[in-house]
Amino acid sequence: MIEELFIAKNDLSVLKQQYMFQAQAPSNIALVKYWGKKPHQIPANPSISFTLSNCHTTTKIIFNQKKKSLATFEVFFEGAKKNSFKPKLQTFFERIAPYVPFLAAFDMEIHTSNSFPHSSGIASSASGMAAMAHCIMQLEKTLDTQISEDYFYQKASFLARLGSGSASRSIKGNVVVWGENESIPKSSDLYGVPFPFELHTNFKNYKDTILLVDKGEKQVSSTVGHQLMHQHPFAKQRFEQAHDNLKKMTSILQNGDLDAFIALVESEALTLHAMMMTSLPYFILMKPNTLKILESVWAFRKETGLKLCFTLDAGANVHLLYPTYQEKQINDFITRELAAYCQNNHYICDSLGSGTHAI
Ligand code: PMV
């Protein structure tokens, strides 16, 4: 698939004065991490993620036929005007403009809200951009009723990727691969594809409890972190390793080997942070309580043999992954021992979900 195939027809002969679309998009958590990119939001290596369910963004866009020669937009977050979101959205609209020329005919009013607290340290860019992209595709589908379902979802992921790379993995499927990899047929650098093989029952409804260790603003953004991979001394090895790990993960997700899953997921999380610590300039996003949690998880696993593991995003929070059938004992452990490491004892319980949908 090449980018040109995603350029929408621009037949605006019949246009209503106003359209309104809404979408709900989940966050996702990467098992094999995307860290480093080429121009136009092309990933330096492939990644694979679990789609979440409870952590989501709900977005409504009202498209009004534009009043002035240049289309404008306003954005509201949880009911209040949010001009600080505008620069990121402006960049997003500029990037997607060639593929959705019809947008130039509309002023947009964007209303968005998250199911998780704004200052929780949970990145809302994946769910936020996925929800936006889905609303825009709903408009495209209304203007061009001929487009297929496959095209709808591929292009929604393609547009979301131009807003935030990991957003491409929040559109469709409970496990999503983004980035070309030989073990995944039809995988693409341009958009995420649902994991094409049968997921082992061990992973059905897999749990993700997000421990909110630090709800503050990160000192180093993902954008800067990705940039630092350009001159990184270990970049080449890391990108090769990610390809290899994705291949291994593809087998694990089918054969249900939870010990292999744990080893790979934790290694990926620590490698992501190792890349940060060995960048120039170097930085650390983990906090003392992050490390305390990791040590507790290792001790608990050794003691009980239960299949609890952690992964990390570009931040201090810890995602705890575990199978549903061990939920009771693991939840007891979380409340008893790990909640104390969270800011205000705050954590979020989530599990595998299926992607973005219209509401
Ligand atoms: O989508 P971005 O540019 O915010 O980058 C996300 C990078 C990680 O969350 C650290 C890893 C990943 O694959 O989601």
Side-chain angles (χ1 to χ4, degrees), residues 106-148:
F106 297 99
D107 292 326
M108 282 179 279
E109 202 181 292
I110 303 159
H111 295 265
T112 186
S113 61
N114 294 331
S115 64
F116 45 90
H118 183 51
S119 56
S120 59
I122 297 184
S124 55
S125 60
S127 52
M129 290 301 177
M132 294 276 303
H134 197 281
C135 288
I136 292 167
M137 284 312 294
Q138 290 182 59
L139 174 61
E140 179 168 336
K141 173 98 185 137
T142 305
L143 299 177
D144 178 2
T145 51
Q146 300 302 313
I147 66 173
S148 70

Side-chain angles (χ1 to χ4, degrees), residues 28-49:
N28 68 76
I29 180 67
L31 307 172
V32 173
K33 309 286 180 181
Y34 148 61
W35 198 241
K37 61 179 161 185
K38 302 177 209 166
H40 310 297
Q41 299 278 99
I42 297 299
N45 65 259
S47 56
I48 185 166
S49 54

Side-chain angles (χ1 to χ4, degrees), residues 297-326:
V297 167
W298 286 332
F300 174 79
R301 206 163 62 223
K302 199 163 171 202
E303 199 181 294
T304 62
L306 295 173
K307 308 298 182 193
L308 170 68
C309 73
F310 66 81
T311 187
L312 304 163
D313 253 343
N317 295 335
V318 182
H319 288 247
L320 296 175
L321 302 178
Y322 49 98
T324 308
Y325 60 85
Q326 294 179 343

Side-chain angles (χ1 to χ4, degrees), residues 307-357:
K307 308 298 182 193
L308 170 68
C309 73
F310 66 81
T311 187
L312 304 163
D313 253 343
N317 295 335
V318 182
H319 288 247
L320 296 175
L321 302 178
Y322 49 98
T324 308
Y325 60 85
Q326 294 179 343
E327 189 179 1
K328 169 86 183 70
Q329 290 139 292
I330 291 175
N331 276 343
D332 286 349
F333 167 64
I334 294 171
T335 12
R336 199 175 60 240
E337 283 191 37
L338 301 183
Y341 297 125
C342 302
Q343 252 184 306
N344 309 322
N345 291 313
H346 193 180
Y347 60 89
I348 297 175
C349 298
D350 213 333
S351 52
L352 216 54
S354 60
T356 306
H357 57 270

Side-chain angles (χ1 to χ4, degrees), residues 23-293:
Q24 192 178 88
S27 188
N28 68 76
I29 180 67
L31 307 172
V32 173
K33 309 286 180 181
Y34 148 61
W35 198 241
K37 61 179 161 185
K38 302 177 209 166
H40 310 297
Q41 299 278 99
I42 297 299
N45 65 259
S47 56
I48 185 166
S49 54
F50 278 166
T51 306
L52 299 182
S53 171
N54 298 337
C55 289
H56 55 71
T57 297
T58 303
T59 298
K60 173 170 83 182
I61 309 185
I62 303 165
F63 299 90
N64 288 307
Q65 268 195 50
K66 72 176 174 190
K67 297 205 181 66
K68 302 195 182 118
S69 61
L70 268 183
T72 59
F73 71 92
E74 289 300 339
V75 56
F76 298 82
F77 178 66
E78 279 158 15
K81 215 176 209 182
K82 193 83 176 173
N83 287 337
S84 62
F85 284 5
K86 280 187 137 183
K88 194 157 187 187
L89 286 173
Q90 182 65 41
T91 308
F92 173 60
F93 291 133
E94 282 165 16
R95 284 185 189 152
I96 67 171
Y99 307 102
V100 283
F102 55 85
L103 271 193
F106 297 99
D107 292 326
M108 282 179 279
E109 202 181 292
I110 303 159
H111 295 265
T112 186
S113 61
N114 294 331
S115 64
F116 45 90
H118 183 51
S119 56
S120 59
I122 297 184
S124 55
S125 60
S127 52
M129 290 301 177
M132 294 276 303
H134 197 281
C135 288
I136 292 167
M137 284 312 294
Q138 290 182 59
L139 174 61
E140 179 168 336
K141 173 98 185 137
T142 305
L143 299 177
D144 178 2
T145 51
Q146 300 302 313
I147 66 173
S148 70
E149 198 177 313
D150 274 358
Y151 176 89
F152 181 100
Y153 284 108
Q154 274 178 3
K155 184 166 172 184
S157 174
F158 172 88
L159 296 178
R161 180 200 105 236
L162 291 168
S164 165
S166 55
S168 66
R169 300 189 311 242
S170 277
I171 296 289
K172 194 170 198 269
N174 49 12
V175 179
V176 181
V177 177
W178 169 45
E180 281 173 33
N181 180 262
E182 61 182 27
S183 63
I184 305 289
K186 299 196 180 147
S187 53
S188 170
D189 284 347
L190 300 179
Y191 49 82
V193 295
F195 186 64
F197 307 110
E198 175 87 18
L199 194 63
H200 192 277
T201 49
N202 280 349
F203 296 106
K204 295 265 160 75
N205 200 26
Y206 220 67
K207 299 289 164 197
D208 180 2
T209 298
I210 309 162
L211 303 179
L212 304 176
V213 172
D214 186 38
K215 304 183 188 178
E217 185 99 348
K218 288 186 285 191
Q219 312 105 296
V220 182
S221 69
S222 296
T223 311
V224 172
H226 286 296
Q227 289 298 332
L228 292 174
M229 287 307 283
H230 284 304
Q231 309 299 332
H232 199 289
F234 307 136
K236 188 168 171 285
Q237 294 92 322
R238 164 59 197 154
F239 301 148
E240 282 168 13
Q241 181 200 40
H243 271 275
D244 202 42
N245 281 350
L246 202 131
K247 212 165 146 185
K248 288 183 182 144
M249 187 55 82
T250 298
S251 303
I252 293 168
L253 292 174
Q254 294 172 85
N255 67 28
D257 182 344
L258 289 181
D259 292 324
F261 177 79
I262 289 168
L264 195 54
V265 165
E266 292 190 348
S267 161
E268 271 290 319
L270 295 178
T271 301
L272 169 70
H273 284 256
M275 290 300 112
M276 299 173 193
M277 288 187 227
T278 47
S279 298
L280 276 175
Y282 42 80
F283 59 104
I284 299 182
L285 296 183
M286 289 185 281
K287 298 282 181 200
N289 278 355
T290 312
L291 293 181
K292 291 204 175 114
I293 292 166

